[in-house]
């Protein structure tokens, strides 16, 4: 007997028919002898609808009341799914986040889980019931309803799996796994059977939106094996787990990319202590997240300083840089908001040299100019003009033989 936590996303429970289909899948698992805890999202579109309602009343909705409102989406699905299970003869019971003590901090709209008390869930499982828990929501120490940020039901599922020491946390969604890259860009992209937490974090933070990043972090921290599968097709999906020495590691697991990048350069800044802080401090104060940072070695007494940010922050950051430039007596500020980032990701690159050179020569053969480069132990990222994105991803996918299993 295994203890499994399953999470069904919004499209998987988007209609009554789909909820009934999900109930059948759950019942089959339970009838086979496993203990099953189910976490559900709101029906697809429901959370957006609630967000719009809030905004129609208040331009900037009160955070506490916003959570009271948007958490109702999940309360609908837990009740309907439990009814559907009982209707087909499967004992089940639904709970909100607070009823199973998903204790969070008080950061409304983006709360973090502090503690989960699995006692009530375990008691129900021992009686043979399927336990259905509302995703995305928790409660702070004063009993206020909180929510975990968009996509937060993934995190609820992982937190429950960790608290219950589940054998696996299965995330059912509308794709059948994690792919080597986005199949809309490379039709030959292949589903990965297995990927490490570290790799998945890189893929997720670079825009592969299969899982909420925090859920992957949490799963890695508590070593909860995570599996991404399709609710609509049979299949093994993709297992996300710790690095496994027994497996022959592929050199590269995937190619991630981010379309929404912009960069800013401040030219001719004095080369002296404190400058990086004077440039980036005001950017951080404006809550603008900085990704890559590059500073050249000075040939004279000045240097150039470049960093990348999200495209949405470009205008604001440019304005800040113009002020900084004047204050520092820099030569000028230049920028570009039509750039993208393409990254090779793979733990296999730790033990192999020559990956960067294959990447650079592949891009050169396609006539693609690399604007910036950054590396980590398991990733090489390059920044390029946005018009090259598709070409670059396709060329790299084939250069590293990712279409072959
Ligand atoms: N319903 C919430 C959202 O749409 C949480 C989730 O589905 O994971 O963000
Ligand atoms: Mg989701």
């Amino acid at each position: 007997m295994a203890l499994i936590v399953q999470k069904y996303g919004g499209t998987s429970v988007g209609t009554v028919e789909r909820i009934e289909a999900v109930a059948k899948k759950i019942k089959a698992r339970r009838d086979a002898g496993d203990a099953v805890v189910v976490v559900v999202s709101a029906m697809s579109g429901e959370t957006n609808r609630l967000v719009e309602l809030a905004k129609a009343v208040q331009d900037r909705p009160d955070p506490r009341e916003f959570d009271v409102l948007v958490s109702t989406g999940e309360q609908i699905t837990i009740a309907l799914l439990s009814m559907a299970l009982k209707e087909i003869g499967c004992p089940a019971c639904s709970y909100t986040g607070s009823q199973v003590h998903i204790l969070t901090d008080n950061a409304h709209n983006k709360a973090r889980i502090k503690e989960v008390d699995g006692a009530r869930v375990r008691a129900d499982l021992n009686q043979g019931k399927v336990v259905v828990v509302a995703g995305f929501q928790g409660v702070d120490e004063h009993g206020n309803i909180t929510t975990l940020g968009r996509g937060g039901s993934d995190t609820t599922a992982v937190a429950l799996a960790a608290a219950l020491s589940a054998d696996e946390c299965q995330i059912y969604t509308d794709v059948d796994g994690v792919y080597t890259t986005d199949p809309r860009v490379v039709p030959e992209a292949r589903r990965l059977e297995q990927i490490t937490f570290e790799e998945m974090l890189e893929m997720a933070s670079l825009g592969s939106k299969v899982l909420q990043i925090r859920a992957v972090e949490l799963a890695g921290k508590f070593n909860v094996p995570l599996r991404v599968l399709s609710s609509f097709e049979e299949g093994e999906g993709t297992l996300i787990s710790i690095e496994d020495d027994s497996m022959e590691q592929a050199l590269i697991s995937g190619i991630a990319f981010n379309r929404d990048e912009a960069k800013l350069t401040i030219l001719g800044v004095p080369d002296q202590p404190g400058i990086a802080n004077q440039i980036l401090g005001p950017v951080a104060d404006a809550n603008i997240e900085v990704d890559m940072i590059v500073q050249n070695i000075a040939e004279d007494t000045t240097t150039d300083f470049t960093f990348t940010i999200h495209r949405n922050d470009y205008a604001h950051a440019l304005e800040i840089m113009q002020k900084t430039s004047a204050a520092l007596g820099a030569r000028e500020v230049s920028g570009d908001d039509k750039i993208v980032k393409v990254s090779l990701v793979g733990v296999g690159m730790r033990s192999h040299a020559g990956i960067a050179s294959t990447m650079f020569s592949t891009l050169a053969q396609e006539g693609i100019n690399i604007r910036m480069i950054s590396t980590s132990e398991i990733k090489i990222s390059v920044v390029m003009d946005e018009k090259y994105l598709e070409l670059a991803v396709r060329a790299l996918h084939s250069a590293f033989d990712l279409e072959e299993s």
Side-chain angles (χ1 to χ4, degrees), residues 112-130:
R112 284 188 170 259
I113 297 177
K114 298 206 310 201
E115 211 177 275
V116 176
D117 171 9
R120 192 159 187 181
V121 176
R122 272 195 208 95
D124 274 8
L125 290 175
N126 288 341
Q127 291 176 21
K129 288 183 193 163
V130 168

Side-chain angles (χ1 to χ4, degrees), residues 7 9-10 41 150-154 171 173 209-212:
K7 180 255 171 177
S41 289
R150 299 306 302 267
S153 298
D154 296 342
I171 308 285
T173 178
K209 293 183 190 63
V210 200
L211 286 171
Q212 199 195 34

Side-chain angles (χ1 to χ4, degrees), residues 228-257:
V228 175
L229 323 108
S230 162
S231 316
F232 307 109
E233 297 164 34
E234 290 298 314
E236 294 297 301
T238 300
L239 177 67
I240 307 157
S241 62
I242 50 169
E243 213 168 322
D244 182 354
D245 293 336
S246 68
M247 250 187 62
E248 177 68 26
Q249 267 305 341
L251 220 48
I252 302 299
S253 292
I255 302 173
F257 53 82

Side-chain angles (χ1 to χ4, degrees), residues 72-90:
T72 60
E74 274 72 12
Q75 194 167 334
I76 295 171
T77 37
I78 53 169
L80 292 175
L81 179 58
S82 301
M83 291 175 194
L85 283 163
K86 291 179 194 189
E87 189 63 21
I88 55 173
C90 178

